[in-house]
């Protein structure tokens, strides 16, 4: 049994009045009567709460959470009391969230029920453990509370961002991918294969109108083309120490994993084959490219438990294994991070070698916080020097892009929050320009 704040306020008031009773004897008699009534009310309140087990609760959430997304958790509450009760609900969320504010106030009518909802946003993959639901219940009298320990402990696996895949799928079905930043790629020439003739809809290129078919049907018809199919797309994820850098609580590795999943989904929707390689000092994951049913689940399971290490990345080992295992010319999208030209020069020879066998797209990261610092005002001589140094680092990032371009290696320099959109746009651009072949 827990005593409420109301209990202590009333008890303190009666104690104060009892003190005045030494000066006014009649007041002391009145205080004793009030104290007796107060004790009776406490007993009645306790009996009302404890005469039966009156509250039940159940937590419901997905069996797996999506990393970096808001995941909904529901708590269903039901009262078996024949009178209204007021509740304070505390859910024991996984300690990794460091959430101590998951406490809610609610009320239940006699024999009533309600559902509470809140969201959790994980920033790391793994197994998260929920504890019990603590429910503090009081009546309208409000002098004592009864604590219920309800619900079951539950483990939830946090996977790479599959909710992002769902958003892309829904937008693709409604032709609204431009809302997420996916650009419309202009079709150049007739390099693609004719697929079908369909009704004209707003947004179709007027140059693809089939005038003969339009005349026969007495309405506008357009030719639909498709890109070359069944090209192999490998997402190659660096798991070295450079990918441990974090942005808004998530590591660059997690951003790369999320982006590779979305890109694989888009590639498979374009009838390309999506594969996966993860490596650090050696290749530890290799998923052969495919567009068969179940490939996305295979990729999801392969990426679930990936972790960075503290060693240097060995691009030479990557080249050797790729040459052995991948015979068909493919697109390799390498997610890594270069701090400057020195870091690039250590790996440039291997990237050049890899680009002789396959198309290579290197994806690396801008420092968003440093860019914000560069744009911030300068107030002292010291800050001017610091800004010059920061601008030098930003310049080296741009220099890496031009250096890679000189050797026929494509690149994307982006911030982590724009990674998925920029990589997809680059893939669609390369595919439309027939660069993948």
């Amino acid at each position: 049994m827990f005593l409420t704040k109301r209990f202590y306020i009333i008890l303190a008031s009666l104690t104060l009045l009892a003190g005045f009773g030494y000066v006014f004897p009649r007041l002391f008699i009145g205080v004793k009567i009030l104290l007796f009534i107060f004790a009776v009310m406490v007993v009645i309140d306790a009996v009302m709460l404890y005469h039966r087990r009156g509250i039940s609760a159940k937590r419901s959430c997905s069996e797996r959470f999506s990393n970096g997304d808001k995941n909904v958790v529901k708590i269903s509450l039901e009262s078996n009391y024949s009178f209204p009760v007021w509740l304070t609900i505390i859910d024991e969320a996984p300690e990794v969230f460091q959430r101590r504010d998951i406490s809610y106030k609610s009320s239940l009518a006699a024999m009533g029920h309600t559902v509470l909802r809140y969201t959790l946003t994980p920033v790391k993959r793994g197994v998260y453990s929920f504890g019990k639901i603590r429910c503090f219940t009081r009546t309208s009298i409000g002098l004592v509370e009864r604590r219920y320990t309800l619900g079951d402990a539950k483990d939830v696996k946090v996977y790479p961002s599959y909710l992002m895949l769902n958003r892309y799928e829904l937008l693709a079905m409604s032709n609204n991918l431009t809302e997420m930043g996916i650009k419309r790629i202009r079709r150049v020439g007739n390099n693609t294969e004719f697929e079908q003739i369909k009704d004209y809809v707003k947004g179709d290129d007027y140059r693809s109108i089939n005038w003969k078919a339009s005349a026969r049907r007495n309405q506008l018809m357009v030719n639909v083309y498709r890109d070359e199919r069944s090209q192999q797309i490998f997402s190659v994820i660096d798991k070295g120490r450079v990918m441990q850098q974090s942005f808004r609580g998530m590591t660059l590795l997690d951003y790369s994993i999320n982006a590779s999943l979305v890109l694989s989904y888009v590639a498979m929707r374009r009838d390309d084959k999506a594969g996966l390689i993860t490596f650090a000092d050696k290749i530890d994951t290799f998923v052969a490219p495919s567009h068969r049913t179940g490939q996305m689940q295979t990729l999801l399971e392969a990426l679930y438990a990936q972790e960075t290490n503290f060693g240097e990345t060995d691009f030479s080992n990557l080249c050797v294994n790729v040459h052995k295992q991948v015979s068909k010319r493919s697109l390799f999208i390498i997610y890594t991070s270069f701090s400057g030209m020195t870091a690039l020069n250590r790996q440039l020879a291997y990237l050049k070698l890899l680009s002789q066998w396959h198309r290579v797209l290197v994806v690396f990261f801008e420092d968003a916080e440093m860019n914000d610092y560069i744009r911030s005002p300068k107030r002292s001589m010291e800050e001017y020097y610091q800004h010059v140094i920061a601008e030098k680092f930003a310049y080296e990032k741009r220099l890496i892009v031009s250096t890679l371009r000189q050797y026929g290696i494509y690149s994307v320099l982006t911030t982590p929050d724009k990674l998925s959109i920029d990589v997809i746009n680059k893939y669609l651009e390369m595919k439309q320009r027939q660069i993948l072949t």
Side-chain angles (χ1 to χ4, degrees):
M1 183 173 70
F2 293 84
L3 302 177
T4 65
K5 183 178 180 180
R6 182 181 298 180
F7 173 91
Y8 289 107
I9 290 174
I10 295 175
L11 184 60
S13 301
L14 291 176
T15 303
L16 184 62
L17 289 174
F20 283 108
Y22 287 99
V23 181
F24 307 100
R26 292 184 179 179
L27 181 60
F28 190 77
I29 296 172
V31 169
K32 289 194 291 184
I33 296 172
L34 291 176
L35 186 61
F36 175 76
I37 296 173
F38 176 65
V40 171
M41 295 299 294
V42 170
V43 172
I44 294 173
D45 199 10
V47 170
M48 291 175 65
L49 284 174
Y50 283 87
H51 79 285
R52 66 165 63 182
R53 186 170 181 81
I55 299 296
S56 59
K58 180 181 179 182
R59 181 196 301 111
S60 61
C61 61
S62 175
E63 292 296 325
R64 59 185 186 180
F65 278 4
S66 177
N67 193 25
D69 298 311
K70 292 182 178 180
N71 299 269
V72 177
V73 180
K74 300 178 183 178
I75 299 177
S76 301
L77 298 159
E78 187 172 350
S79 172
N80 294 321
Y81 288 116
S82 58
F83 48 83
V85 291
W86 283 259
L87 310 173
T88 300
I89 302 98
I90 300 175
D91 192 11
E92 295 180 346
E95 60 182 15
V96 68
F97 289 107
Q98 294 295 304
R99 288 279 301 270
R100 299 295 180 266
D101 59 343
I102 305 179
S103 175
Y104 300 96
K105 305 289 186 181
S106 183
S107 61
L108 286 174
M111 310 303 290
H113 69 276
T114 188
V115 177
L116 299 178
R117 293 177 175 84
Y118 67 92
T119 59
L120 292 174
T121 305
V123 294
K124 186 177 181 181
R125 288 161 288 108
V127 178
Y128 290 12
S129 299
F130 283 89
K132 299 287 187 177
I133 301 171
R134 311 292 179 178
C135 183
F136 295 86
T137 307
R138 64 184 183 276
T139 68
S140 56
I141 299 175
L143 298 176
V144 298
E145 284 183 334
R146 180 179 179 180
R147 187 184 74 174
Y148 289 93
T149 300
L150 306 167
D152 298 319
K154 182 177 183 178
D155 290 338
V156 175
K157 291 184 177 181
V158 178
Y159 280 81
S161 181
Y162 61 85
L163 290 182
M164 187 183 296
L165 296 181
N166 295 341
R167 289 197 295 271
Y168 273 87
E169 183 173 10
L170 291 173
L171 289 172
M173 291 171 62
S174 60
N175 292 320
N176 287 329
L177 281 174
T178 52
E179 293 181 6
M180 297 192 74
I182 305 299
K183 299 176 182 176
R184 282 183 175 272
I185 305 299
R186 184 172 63 88
R187 192 177 301 280
V188 181
N190 292 316
N191 295 326
T192 50
E193 180 184 350
F194 175 78
E195 183 175 21
Q196 64 174 335
I197 301 174
K198 72 175 186 70
D199 294 339
Y200 174 86
V201 296
K202 186 177 180 181
D204 286 338
D205 190 345
Y206 67 89
R207 288 170 297 183
S208 63
I209 294 176
N210 187 318
W211 295 107
K212 291 183 178 179
S214 299
R216 287 195 300 267
R217 294 287 300 276
N218 199 28
Q219 67 181 63
L220 288 178
M221 308 292 291
V222 294
N223 294 330
V224 178
Y225 299 90
R226 66 182 180 187
D227 300 317
E228 183 182 346
R229 299 177 180 229
S230 297
Q231 296 168 324
Q232 294 188 157
I233 312 296
F234 278 94
S235 295
V236 184
I237 302 177
D238 181 357
K239 300 196 323 181
R241 60 181 177 83
V242 295
M243 301 296 280
Q244 290 182 345
Q245 182 180 347
S246 63
F247 176 76
R248 295 178 181 171
M250 281 178 58
T251 63
L252 297 184
L253 175 65
D254 282 307
Y255 280 105
S256 299
I257 286 174
N258 291 346
S260 66
L261 271 178
V262 175
L263 178 69
S264 298
Y265 171 77
V266 172
M268 291 170 65
R269 286 291 296 264
R270 297 267 172 166
D271 293 306
D272 285 337
K273 297 178 180 179
L276 172 70
I277 296 174
T278 66
F279 75 107
D281 56 338
K282 62 180 180 180
I283 290 180
D284 56 11
T285 303
F286 182 91
V287 178
S290 173
H291 52 58
R292 69 180 187 277
T293 303
Q295 179 72 352
M296 285 305 302
Q297 184 62 32
T298 302
L299 295 174
L300 194 65
E301 293 294 338
L303 290 169
Y304 163 65
Q306 300 291 340
E307 296 290 344
T308 55
N309 59 38
F310 291 93
E312 284 287 341
T313 305
D314 188 354
F315 276 78
S316 63
N317 185 273
L318 174 67
C319 288
V320 171
N321 283 277
V322 164
H323 191 55
K324 290 180 180 178
Q325 300 184 56
V326 184
S327 57
K328 182 180 177 181
R329 187 170 177 81
S330 308
L331 171 64
F332 281 77
I333 303 176
I334 303 176
Y335 298 87
T336 186
S337 183
F338 296 120
S339 57
M341 284 300 300
T342 303
L344 172 66
N345 289 332
R346 288 199 297 266
Q347 314 296 352
L348 184 57
Y350 306 115
L351 292 174
K352 289 163 58 179
L353 182 61
L354 191 60
S355 67
Q356 293 177 9
W357 308 326
H358 305 279
R359 288 295 183 188
V360 177
L361 171 62
V362 177
V363 181
F364 62 107
F365 298 90
E366 286 186 289
D367 191 328
E369 294 178 350
M370 185 174 67
N371 290 342
D372 292 338
Y373 178 75
I374 291 174
R375 291 190 291 267
S376 65
K378 299 172 276 292
R379 298 184 178 86
S380 65
M381 185 62 68
E382 181 181 358
E383 289 186 356
Y384 272 99
Y385 284 124
Q386 291 173 346
H387 275 71
V388 169
I389 295 171
E391 289 172 358
K392 178 180 179 295
F393 280 112
Y395 168 74
E396 284 207 2
K397 295 279 188 177
R398 298 191 295 272
L399 185 59
I400 290 173
V401 174
S402 61
T403 302
L404 291 172
R405 187 184 301 119
Q406 291 175 9
Y407 296 102
I409 302 171
Y410 297 88
S411 62
V412 172
L413 175 61
T414 183
T415 54
D417 55 327
K418 297 178 181 178
L419 175 62
S420 298
I421 298 299
D422 289 345
V423 171
I424 292 172
N425 280 329
K426 188 65 175 180
Y427 159 73
L428 294 176
E429 176 190 342
M430 295 176 69
K431 189 170 182 66
Q432 185 60 46
R433 292 169 56 191
Q434 303 293 303
I435 293 175
L436 305 188
T437 56

